Amino acid sequence: MSILIAILGIVVLLGVAFLMSNDKKNINYRGIAVMAGIQVGLAWFMLHTSIGQKVLKHVVEFFNKILSFGHEGISFVFGDLSTKGYFFVNVLMMIIFVTALLGIATYTKILPLAIKYIGGFVSKITGLPKIESFVAVNSMVFGDTTAILSVQSQVHKLSPNRLFVIVTSSLVAVSCSILGAYMQMIPAEFVLVALPINVFSGLIMSSIVAPVKVEGKEDEIDIKEMIPEKSLFEAIGNWALLGGKTALIVGAMLITYIGLLAGINYILNATVGMTFQEIIGYVFAPIAYMMGIDHSEVLKAGSVMGTKVSANEFVAMLDFMKMIPRLDHKTVGIVSAFLVSFANFSSIGIILGCLQAIDAKQSKVMAKMGLKVLLVATMGSVMTGTIVGLFL
């Protein structure tokens, strides 16, 4: 029954996206069908076949080994503090090491070339323009703002619909630089499964709501824009500093949001006898149910999902990791997959700031559709979680 409900939920999601579409005649139904098929195929292979599970297990082991190298550096700098389980030391500091690794892979052109050709492949099989496909794949590795910055020379010529697709698909994805942090809070296998599925969830939802079509010669991608450094050591240094800045930003946001939630909960408990998480759990409970989560756990799942959208994924994961031992495996998988994205209010502000630095005119266009972008990006996260749940 939960599978039938989840399938119905996907149909409802697609139906809502269709009703929201600003150009129904130009929706690329073939591309959407292809992307949906790839999503289902990926989830089935990784979660429902012995070969896929072995592959996923080896990938998880590979990432855990990489993280162990990072822990060596953390242990050297922080000494005994690295064994105390402090979030700042064990989780946030890992962002620095992983980001530096991304810098090495970028400078050596391993990642830029992979992103370019994978994006080209996605463009070819879906019929979407190369820019949109490139940014969606790029977001899976570098996150929303960096993915947009990588095509900054093209931003000024994008139509509102193309801008909508780029921003929305980038919000549904996450940066590999913080995967290590995620994998220390929620099950690693669901983080890795959600990563590629998110690419297509974002493209499906955004391209239904804002169909794009490029006439004539498509925009070409110049990967040189992704590699500003002149030497490997400069790349390591720059990216390590970027990782440190990211870790501090995440820490600052957590201090702010968790402090604000504590204040809000104090007021709500004194007035209505409920916390913010409990109230928002009722709002998101029907969505959690349609994703295939058992009715006995929809309120808990809904509270985590609502916290993620209203605050950010880190705040939600910190709440969720306390619940995991008491939740069904399927619920854990669905909610974990939903959480692996940047679709929240704070990210909209970050995106606007990024576009303001590139093109003030496009930033104003984006500002007018910010809430719609967040809604559609959240729908993409719901789709990812629902598809993962089909095979649990």
Side-chain angles (χ1 to χ4, degrees):
M1 180 60 71
S2 65
I3 293 177
L4 292 176
I5 292 172
I7 292 173
L8 176 61
I10 293 173
V11 172
V12 170
L13 273 177
L14 295 173
V16 171
F18 177 80
L19 292 175
M20 292 173 64
S21 178
N22 60 25
D23 189 5
K24 296 179 176 64
K25 292 181 180 180
N26 282 316
I27 294 175
N28 183 357
Y29 294 103
R30 176 188 167 277
I32 290 164
V34 170
M35 288 188 284
I38 292 174
Q39 284 183 306
V40 172
L42 283 171
W44 171 80
F45 175 72
M46 290 188 283
L47 297 172
H48 211 63
T49 68
S50 57
I51 297 175
Q53 289 177 337
K54 287 180 181 178
V55 170
L56 188 58
K57 179 183 177 182
H58 288 308
V59 173
V60 170
E61 289 174 349
F62 170 77
F63 271 91
N64 285 336
K65 177 58 70 174
I66 294 295
L67 295 181
S68 71
F69 300 148
H71 280 299
E72 290 290 330
I74 293 170
S75 177
F76 177 81
V77 173
F78 290 96
D80 290 341
L81 288 177
S82 64
T83 64
K84 304 294 184 181
Y86 294 127
F87 183 83
F88 178 80
V89 175
N90 289 57
V91 178
L92 295 186
M93 290 300 96
M94 185 61 69
I95 294 174
I96 299 174
F97 176 69
V98 176
T99 303
L101 291 182
L102 285 178
I104 294 172
T106 301
Y107 177 77
T108 55
K109 296 186 180 181
I110 294 173
L111 278 180
L113 288 173
I115 292 168
K116 178 177 180 177
Y117 289 110
I118 293 173
F121 174 73
V122 170
S123 175
K124 188 171 184 179
I125 63 174
T126 63
L128 289 171
K130 291 180 181 178
I131 294 292
E132 283 81 340
S133 303
F134 176 81
V135 169
V137 175
N138 198 349
S139 299
M140 181 177 68
V141 179
F142 296 111
D144 46 13
T145 55
T146 304
I148 293 172
L149 286 170
S150 68
V151 292
Q152 58 183 302
S153 63
Q154 310 289 332
V155 167
H156 71 282
K157 64 176 75 172
L158 297 178
S159 66
N161 273 18
R162 296 189 71 186
L163 184 65
F164 184 94
V165 171
I166 283 176
V167 172
T168 305
S169 60
S170 71
L171 283 179
V172 181
V174 294
S175 167
C176 279
S177 64
I178 58 176
L179 283 189
Y182 290 167
M183 291 168 68
Q184 294 178 81
M185 292 187 286
I186 60 177
E189 62 267 30
F190 297 126
V191 176
L192 295 172
V193 169
L195 197 63
I197 294 176
N198 270 338
V199 172
F200 298 103
S201 292
L203 287 175
I204 287 172
M205 288 298 157
S206 60
S207 61
I208 293 176
V209 174
V212 294
K213 192 174 182 181
V214 176
E215 300 292 342
K217 187 178 180 181
E218 289 187 298
D219 300 322
E220 293 297 327
I221 304 296
D222 184 6
I223 63 172
K224 291 181 181 179
E225 294 180 355
M226 299 174 64
I227 315 172
E229 289 84 11
K230 303 300 181 183
S231 71
L232 177 61
F233 292 106
E234 182 186 359
I236 294 172
N238 287 348
W239 283 76
L241 290 174
L242 175 62
K245 180 180 178 181
T246 302
L248 290 175
I249 289 172
V250 172
M253 290 175 66
L254 286 175
I255 291 170
T256 301
Y257 278 108
I258 291 176
L260 287 173
L261 278 176
I264 291 170
N265 285 338
Y266 176 81
I267 296 171
L268 290 175
N269 268 319
T271 54
V272 298
M274 296 177 69
T275 65
F276 170 80
Q277 289 93 329
E278 289 171 337
I279 293 172
I280 206 165
Y282 284 98
V283 176
F284 277 82
I287 299 173
Y289 182 72
M290 291 192 69
M291 292 170 74
I293 295 174
D294 188 83
H295 65 89
S296 63
E297 297 183 336
V298 293
L299 285 177
K300 291 180 180 178
S303 70
V304 174
M305 293 164 60
T307 300
K308 185 256 186 182
V309 175
S310 56
N312 61 51
E313 73 279 7
F314 276 101
V315 178
M317 287 179 186
L318 287 171
D319 282 345
F320 186 53
M321 64 188 294
K322 301 170 188 174
M323 303 180 190
I324 287 176
R326 303 188 301 274
L327 295 176
D328 181 73
H329 178 69
K330 183 170 184 175
T331 301
V332 172
I334 293 173
V335 176
S336 294
F338 172 86
L339 293 177
V340 182
S341 87
F342 288 151
N344 57 64
F345 279 100
S346 59
S347 291
I348 295 294
I350 294 170
I351 290 285
L352 282 173
C354 176
L355 286 174
Q356 179 68 36
I358 299 172
D359 189 316
K361 182 179 178 182
Q362 292 289 49
S363 178
K364 291 179 181 178
V365 173
M366 171 62 196
K368 293 178 182 178
M369 54 188 184
L371 289 178
K372 188 175 182 180
V373 166
L374 177 58
L375 173 60
V376 177
T378 302
M379 289 166 61
S381 295
V382 170
M383 187 173 192
T384 294
T386 306
I387 288 174
V388 168
L390 291 175
F391 299 98
L392 297 175

